[in-house]
Structure formats: structure tokens, C-alpha cells
Amino acid sequence: MEIQLKHGTFVYINKMNPDEYKNGGESLTIQYNYFDCLFGQVLVANTDKGICYMAFDDDNTTALKGLKDIFPKAVYKNEKTNMQQDSLLIFTEKPKAVMLHVKGTDFQVKVWEELIKIPMSELTTYGTLAQQINNRKACRAVGSAVGDNPVSFLIPCHRVIQSSGKYGQYHWGPERKRRMIEWEKSYKM
């Protein structure tokens, strides 16, 4: 699915087919590298079809373990790619296009597509997301899909907060989530 963001960037979500991730991803070759960005150390990984993983973690081994837990039998190459570097432009300028290649259920991808539509610096709740996918009773399932997002920031799960207005938890730490939200409020593209 192709989604154009308000600032002109296109995000393309390519859902992996079962052949690409069956048997632990043994048919995949994944390139990965670590970068410094506004929010600390980030691991960015890609297949030949798009970014498949983005994780903020100051411990490189933990971030890489998270990726390898998803695709334990993939071939890994620690190398920097143009695709990785282009995806990081989201922090400094508007990239023209970001290709994602993600492993997820149809339901998860539907939730992630809704997340991508949330404009930068705006927030939503789990309940609102459930309504947007026409499944008001699915708040917990939406929360799980948000938490299972493999491409942090590019699929902006940090823009989902509790209905009370509290920012709540974040896989990469509540302080990092707060900093992301505050940065987006002050950033002008």
C-alpha cells in the first residue's frame, strides 16, 4: 500500500509473503547497520525490497538480537545501504519515498497503515485507531499490533497515547517516546 504523508513523503508498505519469512526467514538476506540519530543509537535493517526493522537501543547486541528473533535463519550482512541512509532522512529533511518490507498479519498491517496516516506532531489513542479500522472492540488487539511494529518511527507507534492523555509505555522507553513527541511538535518541514 502507498500512503502519501502531508509533507510529501511517500511510504510504501510491502507485506512479506509467507515464503519470505517461513522457516525463520531462511530465504531472506538482511543488511543492517547502526547509526546515531536524534534519539540515540538506531539499528536499521533492510531486505532488497525495503526497510524491515528499525530499533532504538543503545546496546547494539540487544537491538540485533531483536531482529534475529524475528528472522533467526536469515543471512545477515553488517553493511550500510542507501536504503538505510535514505530512511534516516526522516529526521532531517523530507525523503521522497520510504519502502518498507514488513512481516505482519493482515490485521497488524492494517493498524500500521493507520499509524502512518497520523500527521507528524499529532497524537491518537488506541480506541481511535480501533474505530478507524472499523473494529471498536479491538483496542487490545490494536495495542498489540502497535507494540509489534518492527519499524519504529517510520511506522510512528510513538504517536499513540492513552485515552487519559498520558503518553504511556514505549518499546524503546517512555523517555525516548516523550522526546520524539516533543521533537515532532517543534519540527517544521
Side-chain angles (χ1 to χ4, degrees):
M1 172 172 199
E2 170 188 310
I3 300 169
Q4 182 174 13
L5 306 181
K6 283 187 175 178
H7 55 73
T9 298
F10 286 89
V11 175
Y12 301 89
I13 294 181
N14 298 309
K15 181 181 170 195
M16 289 185 183
N17 66 52
D19 288 339
E20 291 173 313
Y21 62 80
K22 75 178 181 183
N23 299 325
E26 67 183 14
S27 69
L28 292 174
T29 297
I30 298 175
Q31 292 116 328
Y32 69 93
N33 212 319
Y34 301 92
F35 301 88
D36 289 319
C37 76
L38 296 168
F39 307 112
Q41 188 81 17
V42 63
L43 170 66
V44 183
N46 66 278
T47 67
D48 61 338
K49 294 181 182 176
I51 301 295
C52 64
Y53 191 74
M54 182 180 272
F56 295 92
D57 202 320
D58 296 323
D59 179 356
N60 291 353
T61 56
T62 303
L64 185 58
K65 181 184 179 315
L67 173 61
K68 289 184 175 183
D69 285 348
I70 298 171
F71 305 108
K73 294 184 180 176
V75 173
Y76 289 93
K77 296 181 179 180
N78 184 354
E79 55 190 33
K80 193 178 292 186
T81 67
N82 289 336
M83 197 179 301
Q84 295 162 6
Q85 292 176 302
D86 289 348
S87 74
L88 294 173
L89 292 175
I90 197 79
F91 299 119
T92 57
E93 59 186 91
K94 56 181 183 182
K96 292 178 185 163
V98 178
M99 303 295 291
L100 303 180
H101 189 216
V102 295
K103 174 186 172 186
T105 65
D106 289 341
F107 180 83
Q108 287 173 321
V109 171
K110 192 175 195 178
V111 171
W112 298 339
E113 289 169 349
E114 289 303 316
L115 287 173
I116 290 170
K117 293 176 188 175
I118 302 168
M120 190 175 203
S121 80
E122 291 187 22
L123 304 175
T124 194
T125 65
Y126 299 100
T128 301
L129 278 175
Q131 288 175 4
Q132 289 171 327
I133 63 168
N134 298 317
N135 197 340
R136 294 175 193 260
K137 295 180 181 181
C139 287
R140 283 189 175 202
V142 165
S144 293
V146 170
D148 289 338
N149 168 20
V151 188
S152 185
F153 203 89
L154 294 174
I155 297 175
C157 54
H158 62 280
R159 295 181 189 153
V160 183
I161 62 171
Q162 298 172 0
S163 58
S164 66
K166 292 182 180 178
Y167 287 170
Q169 295 300 310
Y170 183 57
H171 185 93
W172 309 112
E175 175 58 21
R176 187 172 273 128
K177 179 176 183 172
R178 183 197 63 76
R179 287 182 16 232
M180 287 175 173
I181 291 170
E182 295 302 318
W183 176 77
E184 285 189 353
K185 287 179 183 176
S186 67
Y187 187 73
K188 304 285 185 244
M189 270 205 197

